[in-house]
Amino acid sequence: IREKETISGYKLDSKLRQINITGDEKTITLPLYNEPIEKAIKVIKKDDNENLLRDTEFTLFKKENSSLIKVSSKTTNYYGEVNFNNLSIGQYVLRETKATNGFRPYSKDIEIDLTKQVSPVYTVTLNNYKVEENIPSTGTKGATLFLASGLGIIMLAYLLKKKRIYA
């Protein structure tokens, strides 16, 4: 006997098995086990110049009905990659949870459907952009002038008070 097809998400067991029927047996039970198909998601993180970014954290969630179940959180390596391995067939959500220093995080969740994925590895490439911050300047000329004027008024008041005491 040989298995001809299996349910979605499981490997076909094409091994040929021999069955011996003796006597008046009407029912024969043959326990078989199909291994689940395992998938992987590979994330590649780059900047807008195609340079690889390390130290970006991603969290992977599995969709179960209307809720998200956290699978794991991982950080990109020196090569800007992170791998989520040994995943069962199903639907997942990938979220960037911490951007590389100096970069804006990717703001959208990425939905991944591994039920229709033929390849064992689903690859996602994301680009980040540098943070452009305008830092307000402090200690401007106006503040310095204001401070000098205030000190001048205090010195003048002190000198006038000192002149009255000795007059």
Side-chain angles (χ1 to χ4, degrees):
I1 192 165
R2 183 185 320 235
E3 183 177 45
K4 290 174 77 175
E5 63 182 59
T6 186
I7 60 174
S8 176
Y10 288 88
K11 295 178 187 175
L12 179 70
D13 182 1
S14 59
K15 193 185 304 178
L16 183 62
R17 291 181 169 72
Q18 183 175 349
I19 299 174
N20 294 322
I21 301 174
T22 57
D24 294 331
E25 297 177 51
K26 292 184 180 182
T27 303
I28 296 175
T29 302
L30 180 63
L32 298 173
Y33 176 74
N34 290 85
E35 292 182 38
I37 295 173
E38 292 182 344
K39 299 283 188 171
I41 297 172
K42 177 180 184 176
V43 183
I44 302 170
K45 193 66 177 175
K46 297 180 178 184
D47 69 8
D48 52 346
N49 294 320
E50 298 295 310
N51 297 312
L52 298 170
L53 295 176
R54 66 181 188 186
D55 299 326
T56 302
E57 182 183 271
F58 290 95
T59 301
L60 184 67
F61 300 90
K62 184 162 187 179
K63 281 179 126 179
E64 295 286 340
N65 299 320
S66 61
S67 54
L68 296 176
I69 314 299
K70 182 179 175 182
V71 175
S72 74
S73 292
K74 294 186 177 187
T75 303
T76 54
N77 60 21
Y78 179 79
Y79 303 103
E81 297 178 357
V82 65
N83 293 297
F84 295 94
N85 298 314
N86 304 321
L87 302 173
S88 61
I89 298 240
Q91 295 183 344
Y92 293 85
V93 172
L94 180 69
R95 183 177 296 158
E96 184 173 326
T97 47
K98 180 180 165 271
T100 302
N101 284 338
F103 287 85
R104 260 184 290 201
Y106 193 80
S107 60
K108 297 179 182 173
D109 286 349
I110 297 129
E111 300 212 10
I112 300 169
D113 188 354
L114 294 182
T115 59
K116 299 173 184 164
Q117 180 68 20
V118 176
S119 170
V121 179
Y122 185 94
T123 303
V124 178
T125 303
L126 296 171
N127 290 60
N128 270 36
Y129 299 95
K130 286 191 174 185
V131 175
E132 305 274 338
E133 290 187 40
N134 293 327
I135 301 172
S137 59
T138 58
T140 62
K141 289 181 183 179
T144 306
L145 183 62
F146 183 74
L147 181 62
S149 299
L151 287 174
I153 292 171
I154 291 172
M155 287 297 287
L156 182 63
Y158 174 76
L159 289 174
L160 288 174
K161 185 175 181 183
K162 188 175 180 185
K163 189 175 181 182
R164 275 194 210 151
I165 293 175
Y166 295 114

